[in-house]
Amino acid sequence: MPITAAQKAQLAAAIAQVRSLLAEIQPDAPAPAPAPGPAPAPGPAPAPSPAPAPAPTPSPAPAPAPGPAPAPTPAPGPAPAPAPAPVPATDTAELLRTLEDFAHVAAREWSYGGHTVVPGAGAPTGIPGAVPGSNPFTENFGLWSLTDTTYEPFLFDRPEAFRLLFAMTGNPRWQEEAIALLDYYESRLSSAGIFLNKTGEEDTKYSYVHSWSANAAKADAAYAAAQLGFPDVFNPTAGLWTERELWVRLNASVQYFIRTKSAGAIRNGRLMLDQWDAACAGRGAPLVTYTQHEGGGPGGTQPTDLVTSPWMSALYFQAARAFASLVPEVAAQVQRQASHYFDYLDTPSTRGFYVYQTDPQAEFGGLVFPAYLAGGTTIGDAGPDEGNMTHALDLAGFCAFAVRAKQALGQDAARAQLRLSQMKLTAARNFANQTRTAVWLPKFRVNPPRSFNWWTRGLYELWALGE
């Protein structure tokens, strides 16, 4: 769909506002002084040439709160076994260049990178080791179309992901994609702020506010839906509680405050920070039962093992860091949260980080993976899995934030720096793992489609923090 001059001007104004915020933030000092983190929205000015990455900026950390009913003692999992030697450096700029390759496929340029991709078509004849017609490019391999029943690619806010990519690169291709996706998304957002493509329930996980939207009515509706979709205070007996819902509401408050300077948005944002503390209950992490977090366990079981999601928490901290940049008086609270949460994940018994394959000759030998669910148990999704490496970029962003938080609090950041290096290394390996050689499928695999959104958000944290 065509992009109007007014839309481009709106996006340019939003990015210029964020650049102004970034310019006001001072570099980190070694002393424990709360300071605003980097800006929440886009980043650089909308120039076609790539914008330079901003200087590192301070950020926030964790505190405490009540958890659910007592659970069985979590089964100890394999210890993370921290590397004794420095981890090889992984360049954030190189990760960004690689992410742009995946962005083309995320924008449904299926043949980008030299492959010849026809939706529905399988392996052509003459491919060694491939049965003709096998493994056709379907939804199982990442195919999707923009229809009024398509919703999965929009989880974690696809228009915003492309806007952040534009902020990092200055590439107008991503500005156009962001605006086109926002136009479509808002055309499918009800007057109650519900994304109509997701039928069967009013799912506020898809209700996103965009500070750069020209449609005030849609922003108002999405903000109202996000605030109504999650309670003000933590309930330890809630049927469902995850860090993702906390992020949805906090992120909506951040974006809405940028648009309106609403005191209500500040109040709602503070409620989410306090809810994190309440769910932590002094343990460093917001712990709820596996059943509360996942809706149930393997085989219809109802496990009561206590868990937290590192990657969903990374989303929360993205919004919390942005909130602290707008409301500096909460910076110390968010810094403590980040510091405590990192320490919780970095404890061997909680398995926040773990070596997936200890054999150095194995495919992923020695690589440290982030847990899908931390807490110590290994049941269901909490166990080791190759797919966990797809969240390494999320956790890299969080670890960069934890480094800044610990520095601002006057704490030793060496462990956070080590984990940051490990997560960047694993993120690079994940990108390599997602690059196909099968020429009839997209070269750069983005499956599930929503994974592009969390990759971009995680990388934006590294870029904004100068890591």
Side-chain angles (χ1 to χ4, degrees), residues 20 24 73 84 104 258 272 290 325 368 449 457 464:
S20 175
E24 295 173 3
T73 304
H104 286 277
I258 293 172
M272 296 304 97
Y290 187 107
S325 75
V368 176
R457 287 181 173 278

CSV table of all heavy atoms in Angstrom, one decimal, residues 20 24 73 84 104 258 272 290 325 368 449 457 464:
chain,number,residue,atom,x,y,z
A,20,SER,N,16.5,12.9,20.2
A,20,SER,CA,16.7,14.0,21.2
A,20,SER,C,16.8,13.4,22.6
A,20,SER,O,17.7,13.9,23.4
A,20,SER,CB,15.6,15.0,21.1
A,20,SER,OG,15.7,16.0,22.1
A,24,GLU,N,20.3,13.4,25.3
A,24,GLU,CA,20.3,13.9,26.7
A,24,GLU,C,20.8,13.0,27.7
A,24,GLU,O,21.1,13.4,28.8
A,24,GLU,CB,18.8,14.3,27.0
A,24,GLU,CG,18.3,15.5,26.2
A,24,GLU,CD,16.8,15.7,26.5
A,24,GLU,OE1,16.3,15.0,27.4
A,24,GLU,OE2,16.2,16.5,25.9
A,73,THR,N,10.3,-29.3,45.3
A,73,THR,CA,11.7,-28.9,45.1
A,73,THR,C,12.1,-29.1,43.6
A,73,THR,O,11.9,-30.2,43.2
A,73,THR,CB,12.6,-29.6,46.0
A,73,THR,OG1,12.2,-29.4,47.3
A,73,THR,CG2,14.0,-29.0,45.8
A,84,PRO,N,36.0,-20.7,31.4
A,84,PRO,CA,37.1,-20.1,32.2
A,84,PRO,C,37.8,-19.1,31.4
A,84,PRO,O,38.4,-18.2,31.9
A,84,PRO,CB,38.0,-21.3,32.4
A,84,PRO,CG,37.7,-22.3,31.3
A,84,PRO,CD,36.2,-22.1,31.0
A,104,HIS,N,14.5,-9.5,5.0
A,104,HIS,CA,13.9,-9.6,3.7
A,104,HIS,C,12.9,-10.7,3.6
A,104,HIS,O,11.9,-10.6,3.0
A,104,HIS,CB,15.0,-9.7,2.6
A,104,HIS,CG,15.8,-8.5,2.4
A,104,HIS,ND1,15.4,-7.5,1.5
A,104,HIS,CD2,17.0,-8.0,2.9
A,104,HIS,CE1,16.2,-6.5,1.5
A,104,HIS,NE2,17.2,-6.8,2.3
A,258,ILE,N,4.7,8.6,25.5
A,258,ILE,CA,5.4,9.3,24.4
A,258,ILE,C,4.4,10.1,23.6
A,258,ILE,O,4.7,11.2,23.2
A,258,ILE,CB,6.2,8.3,23.6
A,258,ILE,CG1,7.4,7.7,24.4
A,258,ILE,CG2,6.8,9.0,22.4
A,258,ILE,CD1,8.1,6.6,23.7
A,272,MET,N,3.1,-1.8,36.9
A,272,MET,CA,3.7,-3.0,36.4
A,272,MET,C,5.1,-3.2,37.0
A,272,MET,O,5.5,-4.4,37.2
A,272,MET,CB,3.8,-2.9,34.8
A,272,MET,CG,2.5,-2.8,34.1
A,272,MET,SD,1.4,-4.3,34.5
A,272,MET,CE,0.3,-3.6,35.8
A,290,TYR,N,4.6,-23.9,37.1
A,290,TYR,CA,4.6,-24.2,35.7
A,290,TYR,C,3.2,-24.2,35.1
A,290,TYR,O,3.0,-23.7,34.0
A,290,TYR,CB,5.2,-25.7,35.5
A,290,TYR,CG,5.5,-26.1,34.1
A,290,TYR,CD1,6.8,-26.2,33.7
A,290,TYR,CD2,4.4,-26.5,33.3
A,290,TYR,CE1,7.0,-26.6,32.4
A,290,TYR,CE2,4.7,-26.9,32.0
A,290,TYR,CZ,6.0,-27.0,31.5
A,290,TYR,OH,6.2,-27.4,30.2
A,325,SER,N,13.8,5.6,31.2
A,325,SER,CA,14.4,6.7,30.5
A,325,SER,C,13.4,7.9,30.4
A,325,SER,O,13.9,9.1,30.2
A,325,SER,CB,14.8,6.3,29.0
A,325,SER,OG,13.7,6.2,28.2
A,368,VAL,N,26.6,-21.9,25.2
A,368,VAL,CA,25.7,-21.7,26.3
A,368,VAL,C,24.4,-21.2,25.7
A,368,VAL,O,24.3,-20.3,25.0
A,368,VAL,CB,26.3,-20.7,27.3
A,368,VAL,CG1,25.3,-20.4,28.4
A,368,VAL,CG2,27.6,-21.2,27.9
A,449,PRO,N,7.1,-17.2,12.0
A,449,PRO,CA,7.3,-15.8,11.5
A,449,PRO,C,7.5,-14.8,12.7
A,449,PRO,O,8.2,-13.8,12.5
A,449,PRO,CB,6.0,-15.5,10.8
A,449,PRO,CG,5.6,-16.9,10.3
A,449,PRO,CD,6.0,-17.8,11.4
A,457,ARG,N,13.9,-7.0,18.5
A,457,ARG,CA,13.9,-6.3,19.7
A,457,ARG,C,15.1,-6.5,20.6
A,457,ARG,O,15.7,-5.6,21.2
A,457,ARG,CB,12.6,-6.7,20.5
A,457,ARG,CG,11.3,-6.2,19.9
A,457,ARG,CD,10.1,-6.6,20.7
A,457,ARG,NE,8.9,-5.9,20.3
A,457,ARG,CZ,8.6,-4.7,20.6
A,457,ARG,NH1,9.3,-4.0,21.5
A,457,ARG,NH2,7.5,-4.1,20.2
A,464,ALA,N,21.2,0.0,21.0
A,464,ALA,CA,20.9,1.2,21.8
A,464,ALA,C,21.9,1.3,23.0
A,464,ALA,O,22.2,2.5,23.4
A,464,ALA,CB,19.5,1.2,22.3
